[in-house]
Amino acid sequence: MNTESSPKLLNDDGTASMATMLLLSHHAFRRDIMRLIRAVAEIKTGNSSRADAVRSEWEKSYRQALHGHHTMEDANIFPDIKGKHPDLASAIDTLTQQHHKIDPVLERGDAAFADLAHPESAETVLSELKTLLDKHLAFEESQITPFLRDSKTFPVPADDAVAAMYAQGFAWSMQGIDPKVLDEVRKLLPEILLKKLPAAQAEFEARSERTWGTYTVGSAVTPIPEGY
């Protein structure tokens, strides 16, 4: 995929914004679907040593994160943007319709990953999901990202438990991002969250090694992972 036409993670002035936060998640969705595709291909060759970890990554992380991301957008982000920018109503309706096409694929993925002894079903699901995601994420980036560039306030977590949950999400979305981008992202994060981030990142790195074995981290400045 051509990164030249993709939006930069940082604003033109080099600062982070809520657009950056959205784009970080898009990078992670693209990064991990490629990891899942490679992992299932390895299982298909007969190496099932990481099958349980790969299954858990789908069930407890990827599909939950993607479904939760869509639910949050449909319930909060999209109505807010539509209210402020009525001219985006058609684009937002299209994005919502795309969410509805992706959700059934996630459900089929649950059955496919439950039966990795026959990885062909998971292979088919991931191929279909990647096609849908590529179209959806690119359209969302072109339509929504510009209207989040001026928003630079990240909500302060209500308590330690919420801060820990946010830290886990950022640990997931920060992997493979250029350090200079991450420096700017940290400037927007409240202290209660920043204190929990190192432990969450260490935990996620360990999970990544357990799930993927050897994997490429990268240093992206757009929502397109290196090698995508």
Side-chain angles (χ1 to χ4, degrees):
M1 184 175 289
N2 185 5
T3 60
E4 293 182 1
S5 61
S6 298
K8 299 294 185 182
L9 295 173
L10 296 180
N11 290 2
D12 289 342
D13 63 359
T15 62
S17 65
M18 292 307 291
T20 309
M21 309 305 189
L22 177 68
L23 295 173
L24 288 181
S25 67
H26 285 193
H27 174 277
F29 287 131
R30 290 182 174 109
R31 178 199 70 208
D32 285 357
I33 197 166
M34 291 304 298
R35 289 175 174 176
L36 284 165
I37 288 171
R38 286 191 291 268
V40 169
E42 184 175 357
I43 292 170
K44 192 176 178 181
T45 67
N47 181 1
S48 60
S49 59
R50 293 192 182 88
D52 289 342
V54 171
R55 180 183 300 108
S56 178
E57 191 68 22
W58 169 268
E59 294 176 347
K60 298 180 180 179
S61 179
Y62 194 83
R63 71 98 65 226
Q64 297 292 344
L66 185 55
H67 179 70
H69 180 78
H70 291 170
T71 300
M72 180 267 295
E73 287 181 331
D74 291 339
N76 299 309
I77 294 179
F78 289 171
D80 180 65
I81 292 177
K82 186 185 286 190
K84 294 175 180 176
H85 305 280
D87 53 314
L88 286 177
S90 177
I92 289 174
D93 288 345
T94 297
L95 289 168
T96 300
Q97 291 167 7
Q98 290 174 343
H99 288 172
H100 294 161
K101 291 180 179 179
I102 289 171
D103 284 343
V105 181
L106 296 180
E107 292 178 4
R108 287 198 286 112
D110 293 341
F113 275 88
D115 184 25
L116 282 178
H118 303 90
E120 294 81 7
S121 294
E123 188 176 52
T124 299
V125 166
L126 290 173
S127 177
E128 183 178 348
L129 181 58
K130 183 179 181 300
T131 298
L132 292 172
L133 273 183
D134 284 345
K135 180 179 180 180
H136 173 69
L137 296 179
F139 186 65
E140 183 169 288
E141 287 158 9
S142 69
Q143 300 297 312
I144 302 300
T145 300
F147 298 95
L148 299 176
R149 293 292 188 185
D150 292 333
S151 179
K152 298 187 177 185
T153 302
F154 191 86
V156 177
D159 52 39
D160 280 349
V162 176
M165 180 184 69
Y166 280 158
Q168 290 171 1
F170 275 104
W172 165 75
S173 67
M174 285 177 161
Q175 191 181 71
I177 302 299
D178 187 280
K180 293 180 180 178
V181 174
L182 298 183
D183 287 343
E184 293 300 319
V185 169
R186 290 186 183 93
K187 292 177 182 179
L188 294 188
L189 302 182
E191 188 64 25
I192 187 175
L193 197 164
L194 287 172
K195 288 181 178 179
K196 296 187 179 299
L197 191 53
Q201 288 179 300
E203 180 181 343
F204 184 69
E205 293 293 339
R207 191 179 98 200
S208 296
E209 183 175 352
R210 184 169 63 250
T211 305
W212 315 118
T214 301
Y215 61 94
T216 301
V217 175
S219 186
V221 296
T222 77
I224 310 301
E226 294 179 10
Y228 190 79

